[in-house]
Protein backbone atom coordinates (compact mmCIF):
# COMPACT_ATOMS: atom_id res chain seq x y z
CA UNK A 1 0.00 0.00 0.00
CA UNK A 2 2.74 2.34 1.05
CA UNK A 3 4.91 1.40 -1.95
CA UNK A 4 1.99 2.02 -4.30
CA UNK A 5 1.49 5.48 -2.84
CA UNK A 6 5.15 6.36 -3.33
CA UNK A 7 5.14 5.14 -6.92
CA UNK A 8 1.98 7.13 -7.59
CA UNK A 9 3.52 10.25 -6.05
CA UNK A 10 6.72 9.83 -8.05
CA UNK A 11 4.82 9.44 -11.30
CA UNK A 12 2.65 12.48 -10.78
CA UNK A 13 5.64 14.52 -9.67
CA UNK A 14 7.68 13.56 -12.74
CA UNK A 15 4.80 14.39 -15.06
CA UNK A 16 4.34 17.76 -13.38
CA UNK A 17 8.06 18.51 -13.58
CA UNK A 18 8.24 17.57 -17.24
CA UNK A 19 5.23 19.68 -17.97
CA UNK A 20 6.86 22.65 -16.26
CA UNK A 21 10.13 22.12 -18.13
CA UNK A 22 8.43 21.78 -21.47
CA UNK A 23 6.46 24.94 -21.18
CA UNK A 24 8.83 27.83 -21.06
CA UNK A 25 10.62 30.07 -23.49
CA UNK A 26 14.03 31.57 -22.90
CA UNK A 27 14.30 35.31 -23.23
CA UNK A 28 16.76 38.08 -22.46
CA UNK A 29 16.14 41.54 -21.07
CA UNK A 30 16.58 44.11 -23.80
CA UNK A 31 15.51 47.42 -22.25
CA UNK A 32 18.10 49.55 -20.42
CA UNK A 33 15.88 49.63 -17.36
CA UNK A 34 13.97 46.34 -17.51
CA UNK A 35 11.74 46.13 -14.47
CA UNK A 36 10.66 42.96 -12.69
CA UNK A 37 7.31 43.21 -10.90
CA UNK A 38 6.20 41.29 -7.81
CA UNK A 39 2.67 40.62 -8.99
CA UNK A 40 0.02 41.28 -11.59
CA UNK A 41 -1.39 43.95 -9.29
CA UNK A 42 -1.21 47.53 -10.50
CA UNK A 43 -1.48 51.08 -9.31
CA UNK A 44 -1.07 54.28 -11.33
CA UNK A 45 2.69 53.66 -11.45
CA UNK A 46 2.23 50.16 -12.90
CA UNK A 47 2.98 46.89 -11.09
CA UNK A 48 4.80 46.81 -7.74
CA UNK A 49 8.49 47.05 -8.60
CA UNK A 50 10.68 44.15 -7.49
CA UNK A 51 13.73 45.76 -9.07
CA UNK A 52 15.52 46.60 -12.27
CA UNK A 53 17.62 44.15 -14.29
CA UNK A 54 20.59 44.85 -16.51
CA UNK A 55 20.32 44.01 -20.24
CA UNK A 56 20.86 40.46 -21.61
CA UNK A 57 19.75 38.74 -18.39
CA UNK A 58 18.42 35.23 -19.15
CA UNK A 59 14.79 34.67 -18.14
CA UNK A 60 12.41 31.71 -18.30
CA UNK A 61 9.03 32.85 -19.59
CA UNK A 62 6.21 30.50 -18.60
CA UNK A 63 3.04 32.41 -19.40
CA UNK A 64 1.61 35.80 -20.27
CA UNK A 65 -1.25 38.05 -19.20
CA UNK A 66 -2.06 41.36 -20.86
CA UNK A 67 1.19 43.31 -21.32
CA UNK A 68 3.19 41.13 -18.89
CA UNK A 69 5.14 37.90 -19.21
CA UNK A 70 5.34 35.51 -16.25
CA UNK A 71 8.94 34.77 -15.31
CA UNK A 72 10.12 31.70 -13.35
CA UNK A 73 13.14 33.07 -11.48
CA UNK A 74 13.80 29.84 -9.60
CA UNK A 75 11.74 26.80 -8.57
CA UNK A 76 9.87 28.80 -5.96
CA UNK A 77 10.27 32.42 -7.12
CA UNK A 78 8.14 34.06 -9.78
CA UNK A 79 8.01 37.56 -11.17
CA UNK A 80 6.49 39.50 -14.05
CA UNK A 81 8.01 41.66 -16.74
CA UNK A 82 6.76 44.01 -19.46
CA UNK A 83 6.71 42.30 -22.84
CA UNK A 84 8.49 45.29 -24.34
CA UNK A 85 11.44 44.86 -21.92
CA UNK A 86 12.63 41.49 -23.31
CA UNK A 87 13.36 39.63 -26.53
CA UNK A 88 12.89 35.88 -26.99
CA UNK A 89 16.24 34.08 -27.14
CA UNK A 90 16.30 31.01 -29.38
CA UNK A 91 20.09 30.66 -29.47
CA UNK A 92 20.61 29.68 -25.81
CA UNK A 93 19.97 26.12 -24.65
CA UNK A 94 18.77 25.82 -21.09
CA UNK A 95 20.87 23.91 -18.57
CA UNK A 96 19.52 22.04 -15.55
CA UNK A 97 21.42 24.44 -13.30
CA UNK A 98 24.02 27.17 -13.38
CA UNK A 99 26.88 27.77 -10.95
CA UNK A 100 28.42 30.63 -9.04
CA UNK A 101 32.20 30.64 -8.79
CA UNK A 102 34.69 32.89 -6.99
CA UNK A 103 33.86 36.33 -5.59
CA UNK A 104 36.15 39.33 -5.32
CA UNK A 105 35.72 42.25 -2.94
CA UNK A 106 37.77 45.36 -3.64
CA UNK A 107 37.80 49.12 -4.02
CA UNK A 108 39.07 51.77 -6.44
CA UNK A 109 39.33 55.56 -5.99
CA UNK A 110 35.55 56.00 -6.00
CA UNK A 111 33.65 52.82 -5.13
CA UNK A 112 33.74 49.46 -3.40
CA UNK A 113 32.84 46.39 -5.48
CA UNK A 114 31.59 42.87 -4.93
CA UNK A 115 32.09 40.83 -8.12
CA UNK A 116 30.33 37.48 -8.36
CA UNK A 117 31.41 35.14 -11.16
CA UNK A 118 28.53 33.24 -12.74
CA UNK A 119 28.39 31.06 -15.82
CA UNK A 120 25.35 32.90 -17.19
CA UNK A 121 23.69 36.31 -16.77
CA UNK A 122 21.01 35.19 -14.30
CA UNK A 123 18.20 37.23 -12.74
CA UNK A 124 18.63 38.77 -9.30
CA UNK A 125 16.92 40.86 -6.69
CA UNK A 126 18.51 43.20 -4.14
CA UNK A 127 17.30 45.07 -1.09
CA UNK A 128 18.54 47.07 1.88
CA UNK A 129 18.34 46.59 5.59
CA UNK A 130 19.12 49.14 8.29
CA UNK A 131 20.51 49.04 11.84
CA UNK A 132 23.06 47.81 10.87
CA UNK A 133 23.20 48.71 7.18
CA UNK A 134 23.27 45.67 4.88
CA UNK A 135 22.68 44.96 1.22
CA UNK A 136 21.17 41.63 0.23
CA UNK A 137 21.39 40.15 -3.22
CA UNK A 138 19.55 37.02 -4.30
CA UNK A 139 20.65 35.28 -7.49
CA UNK A 140 18.10 32.90 -9.01
CA UNK A 141 18.43 29.60 -10.87
CA UNK A 142 21.92 29.03 -9.51
CA UNK A 143 23.82 26.68 -7.22
CA UNK A 144 26.96 27.52 -5.33
CA UNK A 145 30.38 26.49 -6.44
CA UNK A 146 31.93 29.45 -4.64
CA UNK A 147 34.90 28.25 -2.66
CA UNK A 148 36.96 31.41 -2.81
CA UNK A 149 36.19 35.04 -1.84
CA UNK A 150 39.18 37.34 -2.37
CA UNK A 151 39.01 40.41 -0.12
CA UNK A 152 41.33 43.35 -0.59
CA UNK A 153 42.12 46.14 1.83
CA UNK A 154 41.22 48.77 -0.76
CA UNK A 155 37.55 48.60 0.36
CA UNK A 156 36.33 51.54 2.43
CA UNK A 157 32.63 50.88 2.98
CA UNK A 158 32.24 47.08 2.90
CA UNK A 159 32.63 45.36 6.25
CA UNK A 160 31.77 41.72 5.46
CA UNK A 161 30.71 39.68 2.43
CA UNK A 162 29.32 36.15 2.69
CA UNK A 163 26.70 33.99 1.05
CA UNK A 164 24.24 31.21 1.69
CA UNK A 165 22.57 28.85 -0.70
CA UNK A 166 19.16 29.40 0.87
CA UNK A 167 17.22 27.21 -1.56
CA UNK A 168 18.13 24.52 -4.09
CA UNK A 169 18.57 27.13 -6.77
CA UNK A 170 18.90 30.44 -4.90
CA UNK A 171 22.15 31.96 -3.63
CA UNK A 172 21.81 34.87 -1.21
CA UNK A 173 24.76 37.24 -0.80
CA UNK A 174 25.01 39.48 2.26
CA UNK A 175 27.09 42.67 2.18
CA UNK A 176 27.51 44.35 5.56
CA UNK A 177 28.42 48.04 5.49
CA UNK A 178 30.66 49.96 7.87
CA UNK A 179 28.48 53.04 8.21
CA UNK A 180 24.94 53.36 9.47
CA UNK A 181 23.67 55.23 6.40
CA UNK A 182 23.22 53.72 2.93
CA UNK A 183 24.71 55.93 0.18
CA UNK A 184 23.45 53.76 -2.64
CA UNK A 185 24.58 50.86 -4.78
CA UNK A 186 24.24 49.74 -8.40
CA UNK A 187 23.90 46.15 -9.62
CA UNK A 188 24.95 45.26 -13.17
CA UNK A 189 26.74 42.66 -15.26
CA UNK A 190 30.29 42.95 -16.52
CA UNK A 191 30.36 40.01 -18.96
CA UNK A 192 29.15 37.15 -16.75
CA UNK A 193 30.29 38.79 -13.54
CA UNK A 194 27.47 40.19 -11.43
CA UNK A 195 28.80 43.40 -9.87
CA UNK A 196 27.49 45.30 -6.89
CA UNK A 197 29.10 48.73 -6.94
CA UNK A 198 28.77 50.36 -3.56
CA UNK A 199 28.86 54.06 -3.00
CA UNK A 200 31.02 55.26 -0.16
CA UNK A 201 30.04 57.86 2.36
CA UNK A 202 31.18 61.29 1.06
CA UNK A 203 34.44 62.35 2.73
CA UNK A 204 32.83 65.58 3.95
CA UNK A 205 29.25 65.50 5.18
CA UNK A 206 28.46 69.09 4.21
CA UNK A 207 25.83 70.27 1.75
CA UNK A 208 28.40 72.45 -0.06
CA UNK A 209 30.45 69.34 -0.88
CA UNK A 210 27.55 67.43 -2.42
CA UNK A 211 25.98 67.12 -5.84
CA UNK A 212 22.24 67.43 -5.33
CA UNK A 213 19.81 66.48 -8.08
CA UNK A 214 16.54 68.38 -8.22
CA UNK A 215 13.76 66.87 -10.28
CA UNK A 216 10.77 69.04 -11.23
CA UNK A 217 7.92 66.57 -11.77
CA UNK A 218 5.87 66.44 -15.00
CA UNK A 219 6.46 69.04 -17.77
CA UNK A 220 5.66 69.54 -21.45
CA UNK A 221 2.66 67.44 -22.47
CA UNK A 222 2.45 66.00 -18.93
CA UNK A 223 0.57 68.62 -16.86
CA UNK A 224 0.19 66.68 -13.62
CA UNK A 225 -2.54 67.77 -11.21
CA UNK A 226 -4.63 70.93 -11.62
CA UNK A 227 -5.19 73.55 -8.90
CA UNK A 228 -8.70 73.39 -7.44
CA UNK A 229 -9.55 77.10 -7.76
CA UNK A 230 -6.74 78.78 -9.72
CA UNK A 231 -6.53 75.92 -12.27
CA UNK A 232 -2.73 76.24 -12.30
CA UNK A 233 -0.82 73.18 -13.47
CA UNK A 234 1.38 71.01 -11.25
CA UNK A 235 4.16 71.05 -13.88
CA UNK A 236 4.39 74.86 -13.58
CA UNK A 237 4.73 74.81 -9.79
CA UNK A 238 7.17 71.88 -9.61
CA UNK A 239 9.49 73.89 -11.90
CA UNK A 240 9.07 77.07 -9.83
CA UNK A 241 9.90 75.22 -6.59
CA UNK A 242 12.78 73.40 -8.31
CA UNK A 243 14.20 76.73 -9.49
CA UNK A 244 13.94 78.18 -5.98
CA UNK A 245 15.62 75.08 -4.52
CA UNK A 246 18.40 75.23 -7.11
CA UNK A 247 19.00 78.91 -6.34
CA UNK A 248 19.11 78.32 -2.59
CA UNK A 249 21.34 75.24 -2.75
CA UNK A 250 23.78 77.02 -5.07
CA UNK A 251 23.83 80.01 -2.72
CA UNK A 252 24.85 77.56 0.02
CA UNK A 253 27.67 76.24 -2.18
CA UNK A 254 26.17 72.92 -3.34
CA UNK A 255 26.44 71.66 -6.92
CA UNK A 256 23.00 71.12 -8.43
CA UNK A 257 21.85 68.85 -11.24
CA UNK A 258 18.41 69.66 -12.68
CA UNK A 259 16.47 67.02 -14.64
CA UNK A 260 14.60 69.81 -16.41
CA UNK A 261 14.87 73.61 -16.51
CA UNK A 262 12.04 74.35 -18.93
CA UNK A 263 8.56 73.15 -19.83
CA UNK A 264 9.69 69.95 -21.58
CA UNK A 265 8.32 66.40 -21.63
CA UNK A 266 10.71 63.86 -20.07
CA UNK A 267 9.61 60.33 -19.35
CA UNK A 268 10.29 59.12 -15.79
CA UNK A 269 12.40 56.19 -17.04
CA UNK A 270 14.57 58.68 -18.98
CA UNK A 271 14.92 60.75 -15.81
CA UNK A 272 16.21 57.69 -13.94
CA UNK A 273 18.71 56.92 -16.73
CA UNK A 274 19.84 60.55 -16.76
CA UNK A 275 20.31 60.49 -12.97
CA UNK A 276 22.18 57.18 -13.05
CA UNK A 277 24.65 58.87 -15.38
CA UNK A 278 24.90 62.01 -13.24
CA UNK A 279 25.17 59.99 -9.97
CA UNK A 280 24.13 62.74 -7.53
CA UNK A 281 24.77 62.32 -3.80
CA UNK A 282 21.09 63.03 -3.16
CA UNK A 283 17.97 63.25 -5.34
CA UNK A 284 15.01 65.45 -4.43
CA UNK A 285 12.02 64.92 -6.68
CA UNK A 286 9.33 67.59 -6.44
CA UNK A 287 5.60 67.08 -6.98
CA UNK A 288 2.33 68.37 -5.55
CA UNK A 289 -0.40 66.13 -4.28
CA UNK A 290 -3.99 65.92 -5.39
CA UNK A 291 -6.97 64.02 -4.06
CA UNK A 292 -10.66 63.66 -4.82
CA UNK A 293 -11.17 63.79 -1.07
CA UNK A 294 -11.54 67.52 -0.29
CA UNK A 295 -10.51 67.05 3.37
CA UNK A 296 -7.03 65.82 2.52
CA UNK A 297 -4.12 68.26 2.66
CA UNK A 298 -0.63 68.81 4.00
CA UNK A 299 3.01 67.93 3.42
CA UNK A 300 4.42 64.48 2.75
CA UNK A 301 7.68 62.81 1.75
CA UNK A 302 8.12 59.40 0.13
CA UNK A 303 10.72 56.66 -0.18
CA UNK A 304 10.82 53.09 -1.44
CA UNK A 305 14.02 51.68 0.05
CA UNK A 306 14.29 51.62 3.83
CA UNK A 307 17.93 52.73 3.62
CA UNK A 308 16.75 56.11 2.32
CA UNK A 309 13.95 56.70 4.80
CA UNK A 310 16.12 58.86 7.07
CA UNK A 311 16.50 61.48 4.30
CA UNK A 312 12.75 61.64 3.72
CA UNK A 313 11.89 62.02 7.42
CA UNK A 314 14.55 64.71 7.97
CA UNK A 315 13.04 66.81 5.16
CA UNK A 316 9.46 66.24 6.29
CA UNK A 317 10.32 67.31 9.86
CA UNK A 318 11.57 70.64 8.49
CA UNK A 319 8.60 71.12 6.13
CA UNK A 320 6.23 70.66 9.06
CA UNK A 321 7.73 73.76 10.66
CA UNK A 322 5.88 75.68 7.95
CA UNK A 323 2.18 76.36 8.24
CA UNK A 324 1.17 73.02 6.69
CA UNK A 325 -0.49 69.98 8.16
CA UNK A 326 1.07 66.52 8.24
CA UNK A 327 -0.02 64.15 5.51
CA UNK A 328 2.79 61.78 6.43
CA UNK A 329 5.97 59.95 5.60
CA UNK A 330 5.16 57.24 3.07
CA UNK A 331 7.28 54.10 2.62
CA UNK A 332 7.41 51.34 -0.02
CA UNK A 333 6.25 53.93 -2.53
CA UNK A 334 6.08 52.57 -6.07
CA UNK A 335 7.06 55.83 -7.82
CA UNK A 336 9.67 55.40 -10.57
CA UNK A 337 12.08 58.01 -9.16
CA UNK A 338 12.04 56.31 -5.75
CA UNK A 339 13.00 52.99 -7.36
CA UNK A 340 16.74 53.54 -7.98
CA UNK A 341 19.08 52.14 -5.31
CA UNK A 342 22.00 54.08 -6.81
CA UNK A 343 21.70 57.22 -4.64
CA UNK A 344 19.64 58.37 -1.63
CA UNK A 345 16.39 59.77 -2.94
CA UNK A 346 13.08 61.14 -1.77
CA UNK A 347 9.93 62.53 -3.30
CA UNK A 348 8.70 65.74 -1.68
CA UNK A 349 5.07 66.84 -1.95
CA UNK A 350 4.87 70.05 0.06
CA UNK A 351 1.07 70.48 -0.23
CA UNK A 352 -2.13 69.53 -2.09
CA UNK A 353 -3.26 71.32 -5.25
CA UNK A 354 -6.73 69.85 -4.63
CA UNK A 355 -7.11 71.72 -1.32
CA UNK A 356 -7.97 75.42 -1.62
CA UNK A 357 -5.91 76.46 1.43
CA UNK A 358 -2.88 74.44 0.33
CA UNK A 359 -3.23 75.74 -3.22
CA UNK A 360 -3.05 79.32 -1.94
CA UNK A 361 0.32 78.46 -0.40
CA UNK A 362 1.65 76.69 -3.49
CA UNK A 363 1.05 79.74 -5.72
CA UNK A 364 2.69 82.09 -3.21
CA UNK A 365 6.36 82.92 -4.07
CA UNK A 366 7.10 83.36 -0.35
CA UNK A 367 6.03 79.76 0.33
CA UNK A 368 8.11 78.59 -2.65
CA UNK A 369 11.20 80.19 -1.10
CA UNK A 370 10.37 78.88 2.37
CA UNK A 371 10.04 75.28 1.09
CA UNK A 372 13.44 75.53 -0.62
CA UNK A 373 15.01 76.67 2.64
CA UNK A 374 13.33 73.87 4.63
CA UNK A 375 14.48 71.20 2.17
CA UNK A 376 18.03 72.53 2.47
CA UNK A 377 17.76 72.45 6.27
CA UNK A 378 16.34 68.93 6.12
CA UNK A 379 19.33 67.73 4.08
CA UNK A 380 21.63 69.46 6.56
CA UNK A 381 19.91 67.80 9.55
CA UNK A 382 20.14 64.45 7.78
CA UNK A 383 23.87 64.85 7.15
CA UNK A 384 24.36 65.68 10.82
CA UNK A 385 22.38 62.61 11.89
CA UNK A 386 24.36 60.18 9.70
CA UNK A 387 27.81 61.11 11.04
CA UNK A 388 28.23 57.71 12.72
ZN1 LIG B 1 2.90 64.81 -9.72
Amino acid sequence: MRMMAIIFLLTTFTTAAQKQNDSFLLARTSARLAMLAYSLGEDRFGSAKLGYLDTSVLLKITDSSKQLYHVQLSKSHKAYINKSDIRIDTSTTDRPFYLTSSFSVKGDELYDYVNISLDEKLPYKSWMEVNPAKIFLEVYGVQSNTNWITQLRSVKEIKEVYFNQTEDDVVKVTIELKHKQHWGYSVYYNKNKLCVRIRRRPSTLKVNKLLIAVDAGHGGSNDGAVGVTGKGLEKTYTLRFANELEKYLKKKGAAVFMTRTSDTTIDNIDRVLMLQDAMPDVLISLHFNSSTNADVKGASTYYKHIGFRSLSTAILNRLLQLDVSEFGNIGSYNYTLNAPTDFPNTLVEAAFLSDAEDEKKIVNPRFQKAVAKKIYKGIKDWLKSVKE
Side-chain angles (χ1 to χ4, degrees), residues 44-45 217-218 222-225 234-235 238 286-289 335 347 349:
R44 65 198 172 95
F45 300 118
H218 309 280
N222 183 341
D223 293 339
E234 185 184 354
K235 66 168 185 177
T238 56
L286 297 171
H287 280 251
F288 293 96
N289 242 322
Y335 172 54
L347 163 65
E349 310 227 17

Short mmCIF file of all heavy atoms in Angstrom, two decimals, residues 44-45 217-218 222-225 234-235 238 286-289 335 347 349, ligand 1:
data_model
loop_
_atom_site.label_atom_id
_atom_site.label_comp_id
_atom_site.label_asym_id
_atom_site.label_seq_id
_atom_site.Cartn_x
_atom_site.Cartn_y
_atom_site.Cartn_z
N ARG A 44 -1.27 53.36 -10.19
CA ARG A 44 -1.07 54.28 -11.33
C ARG A 44 0.38 54.31 -11.81
O ARG A 44 0.69 54.84 -12.86
CB ARG A 44 -1.60 55.68 -11.00
CG ARG A 44 -0.86 56.37 -9.90
CD ARG A 44 -1.70 57.51 -9.35
NE ARG A 44 -1.08 58.06 -8.16
CZ ARG A 44 -0.27 59.09 -8.15
NH1 ARG A 44 0.03 59.71 -9.28
NH2 ARG A 44 0.25 59.53 -7.03
N PHE A 45 1.30 53.75 -11.02
CA PHE A 45 2.69 53.66 -11.45
C PHE A 45 3.01 52.30 -12.07
O PHE A 45 4.16 51.95 -12.25
CB PHE A 45 3.64 53.92 -10.29
CG PHE A 45 3.46 55.27 -9.66
CD1 PHE A 45 3.08 55.39 -8.34
CD2 PHE A 45 3.67 56.42 -10.41
CE1 PHE A 45 2.91 56.65 -7.77
CE2 PHE A 45 3.51 57.67 -9.84
CZ PHE A 45 3.13 57.79 -8.51
N GLY A 217 8.84 67.58 -11.23
CA GLY A 217 7.92 66.57 -11.77
C GLY A 217 7.12 67.08 -12.96
O GLY A 217 6.92 68.29 -13.12
N HIS A 218 6.70 66.14 -13.82
CA HIS A 218 5.87 66.44 -15.00
C HIS A 218 6.61 67.38 -15.98
O HIS A 218 7.81 67.45 -15.96
CB HIS A 218 4.51 66.99 -14.58
CG HIS A 218 3.84 66.12 -13.56
ND1 HIS A 218 3.18 64.96 -13.91
CD2 HIS A 218 3.78 66.19 -12.21
CE1 HIS A 218 2.72 64.38 -12.80
NE2 HIS A 218 3.07 65.09 -11.75
N ASN A 222 2.91 66.62 -20.18
CA ASN A 222 2.45 66.00 -18.93
C ASN A 222 2.21 67.10 -17.88
O ASN A 222 3.14 67.59 -17.25
CB ASN A 222 3.51 65.00 -18.47
CG ASN A 222 3.11 64.24 -17.21
OD1 ASN A 222 2.22 64.66 -16.46
ND2 ASN A 222 3.77 63.13 -16.97
N ASP A 223 0.92 67.49 -17.73
CA ASP A 223 0.57 68.62 -16.86
C ASP A 223 0.62 68.29 -15.38
O ASP A 223 0.84 69.14 -14.54
CB ASP A 223 -0.86 69.10 -17.17
CG ASP A 223 -0.96 69.71 -18.55
OD1 ASP A 223 0.09 70.13 -19.09
OD2 ASP A 223 -2.09 69.77 -19.09
N GLY A 224 0.34 67.03 -15.02
CA GLY A 224 0.19 66.68 -13.62
C GLY A 224 -1.17 67.13 -13.11
O GLY A 224 -2.11 67.30 -13.89
N ALA A 225 -1.26 67.39 -11.81
CA ALA A 225 -2.54 67.77 -11.21
C ALA A 225 -2.89 69.23 -11.57
O ALA A 225 -2.03 69.99 -12.03
CB ALA A 225 -2.45 67.60 -9.70
N GLU A 234 0.32 71.54 -12.12
CA GLU A 234 1.38 71.01 -11.25
C GLU A 234 2.76 71.21 -11.88
O GLU A 234 3.72 71.58 -11.20
CB GLU A 234 1.11 69.53 -10.97
CG GLU A 234 2.10 68.92 -9.97
CD GLU A 234 1.90 67.42 -9.78
OE1 GLU A 234 0.92 66.87 -10.32
OE2 GLU A 234 2.74 66.80 -9.10
N LYS A 235 2.86 70.95 -13.20
CA LYS A 235 4.16 71.05 -13.88
C LYS A 235 4.77 72.45 -13.75
O LYS A 235 5.98 72.61 -13.70
CB LYS A 235 4.03 70.66 -15.35
CG LYS A 235 3.18 71.60 -16.18
CD LYS A 235 3.31 71.33 -17.67
CE LYS A 235 2.52 72.36 -18.48
NZ LYS A 235 2.67 72.19 -19.91
N THR A 238 5.99 72.70 -9.94
CA THR A 238 7.17 71.88 -9.61
C THR A 238 8.44 72.58 -10.14
O THR A 238 9.46 72.60 -9.46
CB THR A 238 7.09 70.46 -10.21
OG1 THR A 238 6.91 70.55 -11.61
CG2 THR A 238 5.98 69.65 -9.58
N LEU A 286 10.39 66.70 -6.93
CA LEU A 286 9.33 67.59 -6.44
C LEU A 286 8.01 67.40 -7.19
O LEU A 286 7.98 67.44 -8.42
CB LEU A 286 9.77 69.06 -6.59
CG LEU A 286 10.99 69.47 -5.77
CD1 LEU A 286 11.45 70.86 -6.19
CD2 LEU A 286 10.69 69.44 -4.28
N HIS A 287 6.96 67.18 -6.44
CA HIS A 287 5.60 67.08 -6.98
C HIS A 287 4.64 67.77 -6.02
O HIS A 287 5.02 68.15 -4.91
CB HIS A 287 5.18 65.61 -7.11
CG HIS A 287 5.73 64.92 -8.32
ND1 HIS A 287 4.96 64.56 -9.39
CD2 HIS A 287 7.00 64.53 -8.61
CE1 HIS A 287 5.73 63.96 -10.29
NE2 HIS A 287 6.97 63.94 -9.85
N PHE A 288 3.38 67.92 -6.47
CA PHE A 288 2.33 68.37 -5.55
C PHE A 288 1.21 67.35 -5.58
O PHE A 288 0.91 66.78 -6.62
CB PHE A 288 1.84 69.78 -5.91
CG PHE A 288 2.92 70.76 -5.66
CD1 PHE A 288 3.75 71.17 -6.68
CD2 PHE A 288 3.18 71.19 -4.36
CE1 PHE A 288 4.82 72.02 -6.44
CE2 PHE A 288 4.25 72.03 -4.11
CZ PHE A 288 5.06 72.46 -5.15
N ASN A 289 0.61 67.15 -4.43
CA ASN A 289 -0.40 66.13 -4.28
C ASN A 289 -1.75 66.60 -4.78
O ASN A 289 -2.00 67.79 -4.94
CB ASN A 289 -0.52 65.76 -2.80
CG ASN A 289 -0.18 64.32 -2.57
OD1 ASN A 289 -0.52 63.47 -3.39
ND2 ASN A 289 0.48 64.03 -1.48
N TYR A 335 6.73 54.78 -6.85
CA TYR A 335 7.06 55.83 -7.82
C TYR A 335 8.42 55.55 -8.48
O TYR A 335 9.38 55.18 -7.79
CB TYR A 335 7.05 57.16 -7.07
CG TYR A 335 7.54 58.36 -7.81
CD1 TYR A 335 6.99 58.72 -9.04
CD2 TYR A 335 8.53 59.18 -7.26
CE1 TYR A 335 7.44 59.85 -9.71
CE2 TYR A 335 8.97 60.31 -7.91
CZ TYR A 335 8.43 60.64 -9.13
OH TYR A 335 8.87 61.76 -9.77
N LEU A 347 10.93 61.71 -2.61
CA LEU A 347 9.93 62.53 -3.30
C LEU A 347 9.33 63.46 -2.26
O LEU A 347 8.98 63.02 -1.16
CB LEU A 347 8.86 61.61 -3.90
CG LEU A 347 7.54 62.23 -4.32
CD1 LEU A 347 7.72 63.21 -5.47
CD2 LEU A 347 6.55 61.13 -4.74
N GLU A 349 6.33 66.22 -1.54
CA GLU A 349 5.07 66.84 -1.95
C GLU A 349 4.68 67.79 -0.81
O GLU A 349 4.15 67.37 0.21
CB GLU A 349 3.99 65.77 -2.17
CG GLU A 349 4.47 64.63 -3.06
CD GLU A 349 3.49 64.23 -4.16
OE1 GLU A 349 2.56 65.01 -4.47
OE2 GLU A 349 3.67 63.13 -4.72
ZN1 LIG B 1 2.90 64.81 -9.72
#
